[in-house]
């Protein structure tokens, strides 16, 4: 097939540089694909653009819908990720997979107003900014279709961020922005693939970033439903914590710590139950059962939440659990050893105990991240 036979109205031809890559993360957005492409085509006249969909193997066949268009429209591409989930990670990989000097990220569901894109591009091309964030919260923008509860959550999260992280963005929660490629490429290794809040992560990843804003009106979802849930809220807190500690605490760690705390509660509850049910049996026996149940609980919860983007299945799940117990045992020995050492060196039992536990948790977390739920 020759190039001339490709039906490509304003498609980038050989020799015509693509100016703008629009990265669109998707999970179950099949019904929105054709409409967004149609609107991008209508809005981006005179701009040489491409759309990069990053789909996490949506069960509704979003990737197929994109590829059906991609076959005849060379401006459209689909990066299909398997065995992984996560909005921020999808955006990062989509941006890294593209090459235009300017790159935008927007939702697939038409809530982000695509007609703001040319103005965002013009702002970047003026050379004044490295990043232009879409905002609902300044003159000309509005959060229109957000439900009352979501609106409250979003505004609260915005306040927290502005207070603790001191970002100048009026809408750091927005998932709609455009930036210079080289700015992104430079910071990419420092970004977190966890969570929804990629703009916040980017805006605080480099000092001296020149940030502009573009007001837009947040629309209603065209088709399908939102993927926002409680876990995403906790992930956000993890990101704030990570930023506050200058990257020392990984955003993922907050889940590990919460899971660990619930494990302690389970441990005590099972101990209480076992002793109540079989009062005649030994304490060691009851405690062994309680610890075993808590280990399994911790393991399964970490598999579903902390490392949900690297979830183990089948045989890997069993292998993982064995490893988790072995590392856990080493962690416990380290914890006990350290605490005892401190105690004999005249620390109070509380300080000695706490220090041991903290080192134990950090050890377990490091081993889990490196060996059990490692990136494959
Ligand atoms: N690849 C991938 N993987 N995409 C995802 C995933 C995922 O795990 N989860 C969500 N997405 C995609 C959705 O398909 C959609 O295109 C986009 O990310 C936003 O998800 P929604 O489910 O529509 O989120 P929302 O409308 O509740 O929240 C959005 O708007 C807020 C306000 O601007 C998000 O953009 C938030 O980041 C933003 O704060
Ligand atoms: Mn949405």
């Amino acid at each position: 097939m020759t190039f001339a036979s490709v039906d490509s109205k304003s498609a980038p031809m050989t020799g015509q540089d693509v100016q703008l890559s629009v990265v669109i993360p998707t999970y179950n957005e099949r019904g929105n694909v054709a409409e967004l492409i149609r609107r991008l085509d209508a809005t981006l006249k005179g701009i040489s653009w491409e759309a990069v969909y990053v789909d996490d193997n949506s069960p509704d066949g979003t990737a197929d819908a994109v590829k059906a268009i991609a076959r005849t429209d060379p401006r459209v591409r689909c990066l299909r990720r398997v065995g992984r989930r996560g909005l921020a990670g999808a955006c990062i990989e989509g941006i890294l997979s593209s090459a235009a000097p300017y790159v935008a990220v927007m939702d697939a569901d038409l809530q982000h107003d695509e007609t703001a894109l040319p103005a965002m591009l013009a702002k970047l091309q003026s050379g004044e900014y490295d990043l232009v964030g879409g905002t609902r919260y300044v003159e000309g923008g509005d959060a229109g279709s957000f439900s009352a509860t979501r609106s409250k959550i979003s505004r609260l999260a915005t306040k927290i961020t502005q207070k603790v992280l001191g970002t100048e963005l009026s809408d750091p929660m927005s998932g709609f922005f455009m930036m210079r490629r080289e700015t992104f490429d430079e910071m990419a290794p420092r970004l977190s693939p966890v969570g929804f809040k990629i703009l916040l992560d980017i805006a605080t990843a480099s000092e001296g970033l020149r940030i502009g804003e573009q007001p837009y009106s947040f629309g209603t979802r065209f088709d399908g439903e939102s993927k926002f849930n409680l876990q995403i809220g906790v992930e956000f807190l993890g990101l704030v914590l990570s930023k506050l500690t200058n990257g020392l605490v990984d955003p993922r760690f907050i889940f590990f710590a919460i899971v660990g705390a619930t494990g302690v509660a389970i441990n005590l509850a099972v101990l209480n139950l076992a002793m109540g049910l079989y009062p005649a049996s030994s304490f060691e026996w009851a405690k062994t059962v309680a610890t075993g149940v808590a280990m399994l609980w911790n393991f399964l919860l970490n598999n579903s939440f902390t490392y949900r983007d690297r979830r183990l299945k089948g045989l890997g799940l069993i292998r993982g659990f064995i490893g988790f117990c072995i590392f856990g045992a080493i962690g416990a020995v380290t914890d006990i050893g350290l605490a005892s050492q401190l105690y004999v060196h005249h620390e109070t039992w509380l300080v000695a105990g706490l220090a041991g536990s903290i080192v134990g948790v950090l050890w377990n977390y490091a081993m889990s991240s490196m060996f059990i739920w490692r990136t494959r």
Side-chain angles (χ1 to χ4, degrees):
M1 184 170 71
T2 63
F3 228 105
S5 73
V6 177
D7 172 29
S8 53
K9 290 141 276 177
S10 59
M13 306 288 281
T14 27
Q16 186 186 347
D17 298 341
V18 182
Q19 278 173 283
L20 175 66
S21 299
V22 184
V23 171
I24 306 152
T26 54
Y27 193 75
N28 286 344
E29 304 285 1
R30 189 184 180 96
N32 297 318
V33 174
E35 178 62 16
L36 179 57
I37 298 293
R38 194 186 65 69
R39 294 199 199 174
L40 286 176
D41 186 51
T43 296
L44 297 175
K45 293 265 176 269
I47 297 169
S48 164
W49 59 278
E50 63 170 1
V52 181
Y53 276 85
V54 188
D55 184 62
D56 285 354
N57 210 18
S58 303
D60 79 342
T62 305
D64 292 336
V66 177
K67 289 182 186 193
I69 298 175
R71 272 194 282 280
T72 55
D73 189 337
R75 298 169 303 184
V76 179
R77 275 197 287 139
C78 178
L79 177 61
R80 176 177 163 218
R81 307 198 306 166
V82 291
R84 273 181 294 167
R85 272 298 300 277
L87 174 54
C91 296
I92 293 171
E93 288 184 32
I95 299 174
L96 289 175
S97 83
S98 62
Y102 301 99
V103 55
V105 170
M106 70 189 298
D107 290 354
D109 57 6
L110 304 154
Q111 290 193 277
H112 290 160
D113 181 6
E114 77 289 343
T115 62
L117 289 169
M120 291 162 105
L121 182 64
K123 283 189 174 156
L124 287 176
Q125 284 175 328
S126 76
E128 243 176 286
Y129 304 107
D130 303 310
L131 170 84
V132 175
T135 177
R136 295 163 283 185
Y137 301 133
V138 300
E139 196 60 39
D142 87 82
S145 75
F146 242 5
S147 75
T149 335
R150 259 314 280 283
S151 194
K152 274 198 196 115
I153 297 177
S154 183
R155 279 178 185 274
L156 179 70
T158 302
K159 283 221 180 80
I160 296 179
T161 342
Q162 286 166 342
K163 276 243 156 58
V164 289
L165 301 178
T167 168
E168 51 188 289
L169 283 167
S170 63
D171 191 3
M173 298 300 119
S174 167
F176 186 31
F177 61 92
M178 194 186 288
M179 65 192 294
R180 291 177 184 285
R181 153 139 345 254
E182 67 259 25
T183 310
F184 182 85
D185 284 355
E186 186 274 319
M187 65 171 61
R190 297 194 296 278
L191 299 176
S192 162
V194 177
F196 251 43
K197 300 308 167 199
I198 180 157
L199 176 58
L200 172 61
D201 196 11
I202 288 177
T204 49
S206 286
E207 302 237 326
L209 212 59
R210 297 168 307 155
I211 297 179
E213 294 202 300
Q214 177 63 41
Y216 77 98
S217 164
F218 194 64
T220 34
R221 194 170 238 288
F222 187 70
D223 188 51
E225 50 196 50
S226 169
K227 281 94 209 169
F228 182 83
N229 58 26
L230 182 66
Q231 170 156 8
I232 286 158
V234 178
E235 282 171 347
F236 163 71
L237 291 179
L239 182 64
V240 174
L241 189 71
S242 156
K243 294 281 179 188
L244 271 179
T245 57
N246 233 330
L248 193 67
V249 176
D250 190 275
R252 211 186 278 279
F253 182 73
I254 195 165
F255 279 98
F256 200 83
I258 292 174
V259 168
T262 66
V264 172
I266 292 285
N267 202 325
L268 294 178
V270 175
L271 181 63
N272 185 291
L273 195 74
M275 297 217 312
L277 284 179
Y278 308 101
S281 67
S282 71
F283 178 79
E284 281 84 19
W285 180 86
K287 177 65 183 143
T288 307
V289 173
T291 301
V293 172
M295 294 282 278
L296 185 62
W297 166 273
N298 279 9
F299 177 74
L300 292 177
L301 248 62
N302 278 323
N303 195 47
S304 308
F305 297 103
T306 316
Y307 300 98
R308 70 165 182 160
D309 53 332
R310 309 176 190 172
R311 207 170 276 172
L312 300 171
K313 287 188 196 125
L315 209 61
L317 194 68
I318 297 170
R319 222 182 292 135
F321 183 55
I322 296 172
F324 189 72
C325 292
I326 295 173
F327 285 122
I330 302 174
V333 171
T334 318
D335 165 359
I336 297 165
L338 177 70
S340 311
Q341 276 300 314
L342 288 174
Y343 190 68
V344 294
H345 285 94
H346 312 293
E347 286 297 346
T348 64
W349 66 269
L350 186 64
V351 171
L354 261 180
S357 307
I358 289 171
V359 170
V361 171
L362 290 178
W363 159 271
N364 287 344
Y365 177 66
M367 294 304 114
S368 295
S369 294
M370 272 193 286
F371 297 111
I372 315 260
W373 288 278
R374 57 177 185 267
T375 31
R376 272 146 292 172

